[in-house]
Structure formats: C-alpha cells, structure tokens
Amino acid sequence: MSNLVQKFQEYSGWRNAVLAALARWRAGIETAELSDAAGDQRLARLSARLTDDKLSIAFVAEFSRGKSELINAIFFADYGQRILPSSAGRTTMCPTELMYDETFPPSIRLLPIETRAQAASTSDFKEQSNVWTVLPLDISSGEGMLEAFKQVSLTKRVPVDEARLYGLYHEDDPDAALSVDADGMVEISQWRHAIVNFPHPLLKQGLVIIDTPGLNAIGTEPELTLNLIPNAHSVLYVLAADTGVTKSDIDVWRDHIGAGPARMVVLNKIDSMWDELRSPAEVAEQIDRQVATVAHTLELDRGQVFPISAQKGLVAKVNHDAALLEKSRLPQLEAALSEELIPSKQEIVRRQLAGEIDELAASAHSLLAARTRNVVEQLVELRSLRGKNQNIIEHMMKRVDLEKKEFDNSLLKLQGTRAVFTRLSTEVFTNLGMDVLKADIAETRTAMEQSRFTSGLRAAVKEFFTRVRYNLNQSSRKTEEITAMMTVMYRKFSTEHGLALSAPMPFSLDKYIKEVELIEGIYHKQFGAAAILTMPQMSLMSKFFDSIASRVKQSFLQANRDVEAWLKVVMAPLEAQIWEHKQQLKKRRQSIERIHVATDDLEEKLGSLEEMHAELEAQKDKLAALEAELRRAVDSELSELRAAA
C-alpha cells in the first residue's frame, strides 16, 4: 500500500471518528433535553458536510505526457493492469471525473459534444440527467472496464461549420487548416465531459480524480478554467522529462495553475534519460539539471518539481519489483502528496468544525447553566422561607409576580424586534434572490448577443459583475443590521433578566463576495489582456459567460442556504432561554403558593430541588466529557489514528 493510499484511508478514518463523536454528542444532549430544532439542524448540516466531504486531485498536461499512466500508477496499480487507456497519442479527449456516488450504479456518464452549442455550462447539465449517455461499468472485469474507459478517447468527424458552432474550430488558428481533411471534415471529441462512477476504495472514501484532455481544452472548455481546476485541492502539472517546458506549458501554468495552493510539477518519463552508456551518477545529474531548469522557468522551488517514470512505476507495482519502483521515483511523489495534500485538507475541515463545535457547545452549556441557576435561585429562596411567617411568603409571591410582569413587558418589546427581524430577513433576499440573479444573467446574455464589438462584450460582463457585487453587499448590510439588532436584544435579556447569553451567532457573506472576485479575476486573465478580441475569442467569451453564470449561480444558491440556516438559528438561543426562564418563573410561583397553603411542603420541595441540582451537575460533567471527546476526535492527527489502529 502506498503512503498516499494509507494517508487517505487514515483521513477517512478521522472523518468517521468525528462523525461517531458527533453522534454521541447528539445522543447526550437529547437525553439531557438540551436539543432544539436549530441545534438539530446545525448538527445535521455538520454531519452531512463530513459525510459528503470530497478531496479532489486534478491532473493537467499536454497530450502524450503520460498523465493517464500516472493516474494508473498512483491509484489503480492494485488491479494488476491499466484501467485508464494509456498509449501513444491522445487517450483522454474530454474532461473526465472519476468519483463514487452510491446513489448511482457503477457507470460512465457521457455528455454529448453537441451541448456546446447551447447556452449552458457543464455544471448546468449535471442537473439534467436525460441529456447524458449512460454506459454500465462491469467492475468485475478489468478488460471490460478498460474497454468502457476507452469511451473518453472517442472522436468523430464533423463539417467545419459544425466544429465552429461548438467553438472547436477557428480560422485564425494557424494550425486549423491542417486539421481539415479532403472532405472538409474536422476531427473533434465525441463527448464534452465524462463522469465515471467507480466503487474504488479511495473514491468511496471521497477522493475525486480529474483527468484533463490537454492544454488546449483549458482554453476552450470553461468548466475546467472556472470550476474543476481552481477548486481542486491539488493540481499535478505533468511535463515530459525529454521535452521540458514548452511555451504552451508556461502560458497555461502562469494563467491557470501556478498561483493556487498545493500545485506540483511532475517531470514524467525520466526513463527516457536512463542511458546504459552513462553511469547512474551521470543520469541523476542530467535529471537534476532538468529539474533545476523547469523550477527556474516556472518560478518554483526545486522541491515542487518531481522527476518520475509513471510507466516504470506502474510496472514495478504490478510486478512487485521494489528496485524498479525506487528507480521510478514514484514513491517520492506519493509521499509529497500524502504529506502536503491530506494534512492541509484536514486542517481546513478541522477549522470549520472547531467553529461549529464552539457554537453547539456554547448553546448547550448556556441552557444548562440557565437551568442550574434557576434551581439554585429557587433553593436559596425556599431555604430562606424556613421558619418564616405567612406575610413573608406572600411578599415573595408578589416579588415573583412583579418579576414575571417585567419579563412579560420585555417579551412585548421582543415582539416588535421579531417584526423588524422578519422585515430585514425578507430584505436580505431582495438582492440575494435567485430570480434577481437569473434576470441579471438574462440581461447580460442579451447585451452580449446584441454587441458586435469587443468593448460591448466587455461592458456587458463588467456590468454583470458590478450588479452581482452590489447585490451581495446589500444583502451583507442587512445581515449586519440583523446581527446588531440581535446583539442589543441578547444584551438586554442578559442584563435585565440574568439570562446566560453571550452574543448571537456571527454571520458574513464575505466568503461569497471573495468567490465572485475570484471568478472575475479568472475572466480577466482569459480576456482582459488583449485590446481587441478576434471573432473566435468573442465566441469563446460567450461560452465562457455561460460557465461564469453557472458558477455565480452556485455561489448564490449556497449563500441563500447559509442565510436561511443562519436566520433559523440566530434567535434560537434567546428563544430557548426565554422559554426556560418562563417555565422557571411559573414553577417558582407554584412552589411558593403551595408552601403558602401548607408549610409541610417546603422540605419536600427543597429535597426535590436538591436532587434536581445534583442531576444538573451530573449532566454538566457528562456534557463536558462529551465535548472533550468531540474536540479530541477533531484535533487528533492522522498518525495518532494509525497508532490507535
């Protein structure tokens, strides 16, 4: 088992351990009657996020760099043969995602190339199952799987006009004429996108492998530029050791890949430099020189460039040849991936979990503290009644009545706050609503279609981003107003009625504002440099906008879900403690009333309250233990899980 596979399995084990600790936390607070609808919703979202957590690795290269062979060597060597087609020439003709979704049978879903003629992105088509061609995948047959995987390399010949319609033929391209045969036909990929649903152990645990069809596709398929590559947790940029870095390699690296985190350059096919007429030291020196040249050209640390032989590494794994595997240098790349990619991914998830756990724990502890405080107040109050006459008891009843009256007055003011809260909540969605965004997208598309000049196209897209940012900022101001209003209300009930409230749950749309800025930055990289766009570039810009619109739509959908979830929980701690306080006031009044009628009830009530206090203290200890267990699970390192196993 490679270090990468082992690390990924440990990461999956860590996620499962956190899920188990979350389940015990949920059971504990339900037993203690500390759960509420808002908390349950938050726990459900947290569990779903962990269950659906994905870790994606994108492989990017020009054709014939050995990219598919590298995927075979790292992930599929245990099958004893190649799973992805790997031969001379182009074997991956369309972007391919290898993943596992248990709601689908093992299959290959293929999006026809004809969809490029429509105003929709690949992400949009993922919502339309009827558009895809679905082929079953026989996982019991290695040969059968290899045959099915060959679908991603299928091509067909179409007239020039049809290729132009899909944005796959441009007269301005000096090589375009060479691709036209004697019959005026052009060879293009049969498919636009492929999704392979394959129950490989790592894919089952959340790994997603993205295989790209070559550098030219990064310029022509916006889904790669805007979504798959920027969102990948790691990108492996594969070069060939015998050719080094070409101009197209440099352009794609600088424009689309180099700036992101966890970017590694793989210098493949070092076996082409193994020379029996040179000593091993001379071969190593030659490889080191090529590494240094690549690192300098791409402005990288030498430690980010990994010279390997994927083909020899695969052969070595299949034949269990340890010496050849070491010579292929594949283990060094796998070790770097496992040591950099997976721990950094774990740290991101860990930070997200820590904030959620803080909120969950604070809510449960506050409610438990409120109950404990009320019981202690009743104990103090009732103990003070020992040996007292009826007048004092009547006075205490009046004091509780006065306290209840003041609390009811505060609740009346809270009703006014709720009305403002409802109004502001509606106003948040005035700008954030999907209908508003869809209208903006439609208006931009119309403006682009009506414009025949570069300036008009750019102006339409610029105006779109301006409106999107404006809408997000307006909604952000409304959420800030809600937060400020709830902070005042929390403080009022804390100071005037002693409720154990800190501050309302914070919320920000900054994440989505930054996402839109990132999308706009990618757009400017693609189209912002040239003063005048050629007709093919203008055509590509229109297709690019379809992907921009889809990506922004996804951001807005998630922002809507997050705002809705926040609005449901922001008042929950206050309302839970208000209900608790009302119940305790009612119980206090009833207790004093019974004692007023029969003094004998006093000792019985005191005994009952003391038992309740002891039970609450025990609950507090149990809650603290569950919280500590949950935090230990989240904070544990992958190496600790391995040691425990």
Side-chain angles (χ1 to χ4, degrees):
M1 183 193 297
S2 75
N3 193 30
L4 175 61
V5 173
Q6 181 175 300
K7 278 282 187 185
F8 198 87
Q9 289 177 343
E10 289 170 3
Y11 175 69
S12 181
W14 172 77
R15 273 189 327 218
N16 291 335
V18 174
L19 279 167
L22 269 175
R24 287 191 289 273
W25 168 270
R26 169 177 259 166
I29 62 170
E30 283 176 355
T31 302
E33 297 181 349
L34 293 169
S35 60
D36 56 34
D40 288 345
Q41 183 186 55
R42 182 179 281 171
L43 275 168
R45 285 176 63 215
L46 203 54
S47 298
R49 194 186 304 161
L50 277 168
T51 303
D52 298 335
D53 178 51
K54 302 292 183 188
L55 194 151
S56 58
I57 303 178
F59 290 76
V60 181
E62 188 55 277
F63 65 88
S64 294
R65 298 289 195 265
K67 173 173 47 63
S68 297
E69 190 80 322
L70 178 58
I71 296 173
N72 282 322
I74 294 177
F75 298 107
F76 300 128
D78 290 345
Y79 285 83
Q81 65 175 70
R82 293 181 177 91
I83 296 299
L84 294 184
S86 177
S87 58
R90 302 187 67 171
T91 55
T92 305
M93 291 298 294
C94 67
T96 303
E97 294 179 76
L98 289 87
M99 59 192 299
Y100 182 65
D101 182 344
E102 62 183 10
T103 61
F104 289 94
S107 59
I108 297 181
R109 289 190 289 156
L110 298 155
L111 184 64
I113 196 68
E114 288 78 8
T115 58
R116 282 183 65 93
Q118 300 178 39
S121 71
T122 303
S123 294
D124 293 328
F125 284 117
K126 285 180 180 178
E127 308 290 323
Q128 304 172 33
S129 57
N130 60 305
V131 180
W132 297 73
T133 297
V134 182
L135 302 176
L137 193 61
D138 182 5
I139 59 173
S140 64
S141 165
E143 289 294 332
M145 282 203 301
L146 183 59
E147 206 56 42
F149 273 99
K150 285 180 180 176
Q151 284 289 330
V152 299
S153 61
L154 293 183
T155 61
K156 63 180 181 178
R157 305 195 79 80
V158 298
V160 167
D161 286 345
E162 187 177 344
R164 187 186 295 113
L165 177 66
Y166 303 150
L168 299 175
Y169 180 86
H170 308 302
E171 289 85 349
D172 294 0
D173 184 348
D175 297 325
L178 301 175
S179 64
V180 183
D181 65 15
D183 299 322
M185 307 289 276
V186 180
E187 185 181 34
I188 64 171
S189 171
Q190 187 168 325
W191 309 109
R192 180 180 182 180
H193 197 88
I195 299 175
V196 181
N197 196 47
F198 178 33
H200 182 279
L202 289 183
L203 302 182
K204 276 183 166 184
Q205 293 168 30
L207 179 67
V208 177
I209 299 169
I210 301 160
D211 188 8
T212 60
L215 302 188
N216 63 320
I218 291 177
T220 58
E221 181 49 74
E223 183 74 9
L224 286 171
T225 315
L226 275 166
N227 193 6
L228 294 177
I229 292 175
N231 290 334
H233 297 102
S234 180
V235 175
L236 269 65
Y237 196 47
V238 186
L239 307 174
D242 50 356
T243 59
V245 189
T246 66
K247 184 181 182 307
S248 59
D249 289 329
I250 295 171
D251 291 342
V252 170
W253 174 263
R254 289 177 179 166
D255 292 342
H256 302 293
I257 296 171
R263 272 38 180 168
M264 299 178 181
V265 172
V266 178
L267 199 57
N268 194 20
K269 302 188 178 183
I270 59 169
D271 50 296
S272 66
M273 303 169 79
W274 297 350
D275 187 342
E276 293 179 0
L277 298 180
R278 290 193 179 101
S279 69
E282 288 173 324
V283 170
E285 186 182 348
Q286 187 181 11
I287 292 172
D288 285 345
R289 277 201 305 273
Q290 189 72 304
V291 167
T293 302
V294 169
H296 176 75
T297 305
L298 298 181
E299 299 175 341
L300 286 172
D301 259 357
R302 288 185 59 164
Q304 285 178 268
V305 181
F306 295 87
I308 66 155
S309 170
Q311 192 269 336
K312 299 304 180 191
L314 176 62
V315 170
K317 284 186 175 184
V318 170
N319 294 332
H320 306 289
D321 186 335
L324 182 59
L325 183 61
E326 186 62 30
K327 192 177 180 183
S328 76
R329 303 198 190 187
L330 186 64
Q332 286 93 312
L333 172 62
E334 292 177 331
L337 269 173
S338 64
E339 294 304 327
E340 181 175 334
L341 170 63
I342 296 172
S344 63
K345 168 66 172 170
Q346 184 192 26
E347 190 53 38
I348 292 168
V349 176
R350 181 184 279 152
R351 284 199 300 269
Q352 293 170 342
L353 285 169
E356 293 280 3
I357 291 168
D358 287 344
E359 295 290 339
L360 285 167
S363 177
H365 284 303
S366 293
L367 194 52
L368 193 55
R371 286 182 189 173
T372 304
R373 189 188 65 248
N374 281 317
V375 168
V376 169
E377 285 176 358
Q378 283 192 69
L379 277 169
V380 171
E381 199 169 52
L382 294 183
R383 281 169 183 160
S384 70
L385 295 181
R386 281 174 169 155
K388 297 294 190 299
N389 60 34
Q390 295 293 319
N391 289 335
I392 292 175
I393 295 174
E394 285 173 8
H395 173 72
M396 292 190 72
M397 285 172 63
K398 287 176 182 175
R399 194 175 73 184
V400 172
D401 288 340
L402 180 62
E403 200 174 320
K404 183 178 181 301
K405 185 178 178 181
E406 290 173 350
F407 191 68
D408 288 342
N409 287 335
S410 293
L411 292 182
L412 286 173
K413 292 175 185 174
L414 181 62
Q415 292 304 322
T417 302
R418 279 201 180 99
V420 177
F421 177 83
T422 303
R423 175 177 61 78
L424 288 173
S425 299
T426 304
E427 289 176 2
V428 169
F429 296 104
T430 301
N431 295 93
L432 199 62
M434 297 307 297
D435 289 341
V436 175
L437 178 63
K438 286 174 184 175
D440 286 343
I441 291 170
E443 190 176 325
T444 305
R445 280 202 179 109
T446 302
M448 292 178 75
E449 286 164 6
Q450 292 173 351
S451 177
R452 299 190 176 190
F453 301 101
T454 299
S455 58
L457 284 173
R458 285 206 177 105
V461 178
K462 181 181 178 183
E463 177 60 23
F464 171 74
F465 279 115
T466 300
R467 286 200 298 266
V468 166
R469 281 197 305 273
Y470 172 80
N471 286 330
L472 281 170
N473 283 319
Q474 287 297 103
S475 295
S476 184
R477 287 192 192 97
K478 294 300 177 186
T479 61
E480 287 168 7
E481 278 187 58
I482 292 171
T483 302
M485 182 182 70
M486 293 309 301
T487 300
V488 170
M489 193 53 62
Y490 270 53
R491 194 179 298 126
K492 175 182 172 62
F493 275 88
S494 294
T495 54
E496 293 182 7
H497 304 289
L499 271 58
L501 293 161
S502 49
M505 179 184 172
F507 182 79
S508 172
L509 285 169
D510 286 353
K511 169 186 170 185
Y512 299 102
I513 293 169
K514 286 175 184 172
E515 271 186 21
V516 169
E517 288 172 354
L518 174 66
I519 296 166
E520 189 174 13
I522 294 171
Y523 156 74
H524 282 305
K525 269 190 177 181
Q526 191 88 357
F527 301 104
I532 298 175
L533 299 175
T534 63
M535 283 306 293
Q537 285 174 316
M538 290 174 74
S539 172
L540 178 59
M541 186 193 274
S542 297
K543 294 190 182 303
F544 209 86
F545 180 72
D546 295 333
S547 285
I548 286 171
S550 177
R551 179 86 186 270
V552 172
K553 203 184 297 178
Q554 290 300 316
S555 287
F556 265 59
L557 276 170
Q558 191 55 53
N560 273 268
R561 292 190 193 108
D562 286 353
V563 171
E564 284 172 6
W566 176 68
L567 291 173
K568 285 177 182 175
V569 303
V570 70
M571 287 190 77
L574 177 61
E575 289 177 331
Q577 291 219 26
I578 284 172
W579 184 87
E580 188 72 29
H581 194 67
K582 281 176 73 175
Q583 292 298 108
Q584 293 301 333
L585 283 172
K586 184 179 175 182
K587 287 177 183 177
R588 280 173 62 195
R589 180 69 167 75
Q590 289 171 345
S591 297
I592 297 170
E593 195 173 40
R594 281 199 301 270
I595 293 159
H596 182 252
V597 175
T599 311
D600 293 343
D601 284 349
L602 177 59
E603 294 303 324
E604 184 183 333
K605 184 62 182 174
L606 279 168
S608 174
L609 283 169
E610 283 163 357
E611 283 179 17
M612 195 182 298
H613 184 246
E615 187 180 324
L616 287 169
E617 289 298 320
Q619 284 181 359
K620 195 183 294 181
D621 292 341
K622 186 173 181 182
L623 192 66
L626 285 169
E627 183 187 346
E629 181 187 7
L630 181 54
R631 291 189 188 278
R632 275 197 303 274
V634 170
D635 293 339
S636 62
E637 297 297 332
L638 300 181
S639 56
E640 293 172 12
L641 287 171
R642 181 169 52 197

